[in-house]
Amino acid sequence: MIDVINLKKSFDNTTVLESINFSVKKGEVVCLIGPSGSGKTTLLRCLNLLEIPNSGAIKMGDDQLTFSERKFKKNKLLTLRKYSGMVFQGFHLFPHKTVMENIIEAPLIVKKQSKAKLIKQGEQLLEKVGMIDHKDKYPDSLSGGQQQRAAIARALMMEPAIMLFDEPTSALDPQLVREVLKVIEGLAKEGQTMVIVTHEMNFARRVADKVLFIDGGFIVEEGPPEQVLDNPSHKQTKTFLQLLDDEQ
Amino acid sequence: MFNSFNQIQWEYLFNFELVRDSLPLLLQGLRISMVIALFSMIFALLLGLVIAIMRMSKHWIFHLPARVFISFMRGTPLLVFIFILYYGLPVIGVQFNNPIVAGIVGVSLNFAAYNAEVIRSAILSVPRGQWEAAESLQMGFPETMWRIIIPQATRIALPPTFSIFMDIVKGTSLTSIITVNELLYSARIVAGRTYESMTMYIAAALIYWVVCIIIGYFQQRLEKRYNRYLNQR
Ligand SMILES: Nc1ncnc2c1ncn2[C@@H]1O[C@H](COP(=O)(O)OP(=O)(O)OP(=O)(O)O)[C@@H](O)[C@H]1O
Ligand SMILES: [Mg+2]
């Protein structure tokens, strides 16, 4: 489903991603962990093409995009972006639109689908994320957990092959974390392909087929959660997990 | 100065009868003021939006002219600009056959610069996450601008934009100097004929004030509407 090959991304003079290589199979759930500033967000944003890598290649489905310092065609970028939907740490719902308006906005405008059909589809999705009772509310009147569940529904409405989550619960009060994680676990059970940046190690153990540990611009270690989280073979991974344990 | 309060000749300060009698003329002038003001508000707003977007472009072909325009319009008096349009341009063969048109052009262009700056700062104050959320949902620049960013920026731009509208209404009085027979011009005619300057200019001032109060009322209503989605917990 996704192949990332020698991906490199730098800002001005600082290289954040040196050379990233990994693959995600269809239906797989991959959790991305790593220290603060290690480039997890940057990598996820590269997958959604919100950030343009300096070099390397990303392959999704049948489409591949090779990056170089030179400019490249914008429509190729859009082709690749269609594969993924992004859920942000800070939700970024559209505040001037109700929950229903938020989730039908993009398919209505981009895919030009009929509104009636979208509302039907939206109701089903909101049911699934437990937000149907709030469909006519504005984001400002919702809790963080509710906003994030609406944001998940909004991304799902575009029916992306891959869902990308950037620390979906780290802006939430502790008692709201569970309701959001439950929704994501539900998606995992349905076989949704996902890449999730998270610090919730227990959650990662439950949902992940594969855990990637990123540090210093490289994927340092990857494997099933039991291996990477409980029996890491690299020193950097051990140090990181030790630090997390100390915090909790 | 006057010696005592009792010596003030009140009828020279404000002569109600004169105002009543000249009201039809003043209102006729007001009509022309309003025509200039309304057209100028619309043009200044639309042009301001275009210039604001140009000003934010990364390409100098767009942002350089926008910057020069804003700088010139904000840095020169409206009155001087109106003189250039009406008395200066004929030298190069551009003649307004109607001073009202020159007035509309002058006021619109001048205030478009202020609108552009208000709109630009309002657009920039919409959080970046809004652009990114829309982009990640495959929405393009025009759709994002129009459907996501502008509605949020409008809420922020409302109060300063309405201040500009009031300035536009007041700015139309400058066109009296290029012989547009608007409100101030009418007041001046009566004042010149009757020597009751105080009465006539106060009357004109009060009429401008009333117009601005009405504009302020619309501002309030719009603000309420645009704040609807906030804080309804
Ligand atoms: N737009 C940008 N311009 C310049 N530097 C940036 C930009 N975005 C990120 N960086 C830098 O890239 C590095 C990696 O940032 P990134 O946000 O990807 O880390 P992260 O792993 O998501 O961290 P965290 O766990 O704190 O969210 C940081 O040093 C950051 O300062
Ligand atoms: Mg991050």
Side-chain angles (χ1 to χ4, degrees):
Chain A
M1 188 80 255
I2 314 178
D3 289 294
V4 175
I5 305 138
N6 291 332
L7 203 71
K8 179 180 166 166
K9 173 69 191 173
S10 43
F11 296 104
D12 302 322
N13 296 321
T14 51
T15 300
V16 178
L17 306 176
E18 288 279 357
S19 180
I20 299 289
N21 290 281
F22 69 91
S23 309
V24 181
K25 291 202 210 66
K26 191 168 173 349
E28 223 174 20
V29 178
V30 170
C31 282
L32 188 58
I33 62 170
S36 181
S38 56
K40 305 181 295 294
T41 298
T42 305
L43 177 53
L44 220 55
R45 289 167 59 87
C46 284
L47 294 180
N48 197 230
L49 288 310
L50 288 177
E51 220 71 76
I52 309 302
N54 297 77
S55 62
I58 298 177
K59 189 167 175 253
M60 289 181 179
D62 300 324
D63 293 289
Q64 170 161 350
L65 191 48
T66 305
F67 304 95
S68 61
E69 301 294 341
R70 283 174 296 113
K71 293 238 166 91
F72 56 90
K73 291 191 194 73
K74 182 134 194 214
N75 58 351
K76 201 73 206 230
L77 190 148
L78 294 177
T79 312
L80 212 61
R81 181 177 287 148
K82 286 198 180 99
Y83 282 91
S84 63
M86 180 97 158
V87 174
F88 301 88
Q89 193 173 345
F91 331 133
H92 303 333
L93 289 173
F94 306 131
H96 59 302
K97 293 183 180 292
T98 63
V99 167
M100 181 56 87
E101 288 167 348
N102 258 279
I103 72 171
I104 67 172
E105 173 73 8
L108 194 66
I109 299 306
V110 178
K111 295 187 175 170
K112 311 234 184 310
Q113 293 170 335
S114 94
K115 194 165 176 180
K117 185 186 150 260
L118 285 171
I119 288 180
K120 239 198 187 133
Q121 191 186 341
E123 279 168 352
Q124 286 170 5
L125 256 179
L126 288 177
E127 188 80 58
K128 195 156 96 180
V129 300
M131 285 293 293
I132 191 71
D133 294 340
H134 305 293
K135 72 182 167 73
D136 295 321
K137 292 189 183 164
Y138 287 99
D140 195 54
S141 61
L142 300 173
S143 74
Q146 291 166 336
Q147 288 189 52
Q148 192 60 300
R149 285 183 282 145
I152 293 172
R154 181 176 67 173
L156 287 171
M157 280 295 281
M158 293 300 275
E159 302 177 322
I162 305 146
M163 282 287 281
L164 308 170
F165 294 83
D166 187 10
E167 300 194 38
T169 59
S170 58
L172 299 178
D173 292 338
Q175 75 273 17
L176 302 176
V177 168
R178 261 179 63 93
E179 63 186 50
V180 172
L181 294 185
K182 252 173 66 185
V183 168
I184 302 175
E185 286 185 60
L187 293 174
K189 286 205 186 83
E190 290 174 16
Q192 171 78 50
T193 313
M194 298 192 276
V195 179
I196 308 169
V197 174
T198 185
H199 289 302
E200 305 277 342
M201 292 305 151
N202 289 327
F203 167 71
R205 271 190 196 92
R206 286 199 303 274
V207 297
D209 298 302
K210 185 157 84 179
V211 174
L212 305 180
F213 174 71
I214 180 174
D215 196 11
F218 297 92
I219 304 283
V220 174
E221 184 157 358
E222 72 170 275
E226 318 71 81
Q227 184 193 316
V228 178
L229 298 181
D230 300 327
N231 221 336
S233 49
H234 286 72
K235 192 162 169 289
Q236 282 155 283
T237 322
K238 281 178 195 158
T239 317
F240 171 71
L241 291 170
Q242 190 60 50
L243 275 173
L244 270 192
D245 272 350
D246 292 349
E247 271 172 33
Q248 282 156 13
Chain B
M1 284 311 277
F2 40 83
N3 299 327
S4 84
F5 191 75
N6 286 330
Q7 282 178 357
I8 302 176
Q9 294 180 288
W10 290 103
E11 65 272 21
Y12 287 119
L13 252 171
F14 201 80
N15 181 342
F16 274 105
E17 272 170 33
L18 177 61
V19 172
R20 196 190 55 209
D21 293 342
S22 49
L23 204 56
L25 187 72
L26 291 180
L27 291 183
Q28 218 172 351
L30 177 65
R31 233 187 54 208
I32 293 179
S33 297
M34 289 300 99
V35 167
I36 300 176
L38 282 177
F39 276 107
S40 299
M41 287 179 197
I42 295 167
F43 291 149
L45 198 59
L46 294 179
L47 191 60
L49 179 62
V50 172
I51 291 171
I53 292 175
M54 284 173 65
R55 170 79 172 72
M56 285 183 287
S57 160
K58 286 197 185 77
H59 204 299
W60 67 268
I61 291 243
F62 295 109
H63 78 230
L64 194 67
R67 288 176 94 120
V68 172
F69 177 85
I70 292 171
S71 168
F72 178 79
M73 288 302 173
R74 293 206 305 174
T76 52
L78 174 54
L79 184 56
V80 175
F81 185 56
I82 288 174
F83 276 177
I84 293 175
L85 286 179
Y86 196 63
Y87 297 120
L89 286 188
V91 174
I92 56 165
V94 183
Q95 180 117 36
F96 290 96
N97 45 18
N98 186 339
I100 295 181
V101 177
I104 293 176
V105 171
V107 176
S108 302
L109 290 179
N110 193 267
F111 283 101
Y114 293 91
N115 270 324
E117 285 296 272
V118 164
I119 292 169
R120 182 174 72 96
S121 65
I123 286 176
L124 290 178
S125 72
V126 176
R128 249 186 54 171
Q130 294 290 308
W131 285 100
E132 295 187 337
E135 197 181 348
S136 119
L137 289 164
Q138 301 165 39
M139 292 174 70
F141 176 85
E143 297 98 333
T144 305
M145 191 57 137
W146 192 246
R147 300 186 53 96
I148 307 299
I149 305 301
I150 300 263
Q152 296 181 58
T154 302
R155 190 181 71 80
I156 297 158
L158 266 180
T161 299
F162 271 85
S163 293
I164 293 176
F165 284 171
M166 291 182 193
D167 279 342
I168 286 178
V169 168
K170 293 181 289 180
T172 58
S173 64
L174 292 175
T175 62
S176 64
I177 309 206
I178 54 167
T179 72
V180 175
N181 52 349
E182 45 69 77
L183 175 55
L184 178 61
Y185 190 89
S186 310
R188 247 170 65 198
I189 287 177
V190 180
R193 206 175 55 212
T194 60
Y195 299 105
E196 302 232 36
S197 302
M198 193 60 165
T199 296
M200 292 318 294
Y201 294 138
I202 286 186
L206 290 177
I207 295 176
Y208 283 116
W209 189 16
V210 168
V211 171
C212 287
I213 288 173
I214 295 171
I215 293 177
Y217 167 76
F218 281 112
Q219 173 183 347
Q220 249 179 9
R221 282 191 43 171
L222 273 175
E223 277 184 29
K224 227 183 211 155
R225 214 175 100 194
Y226 273 89
N227 285 330
R228 179 187 53 178
Y229 56 79
L230 295 177
N231 302 321
Q232 16 164 260
R233 224 169 293 225

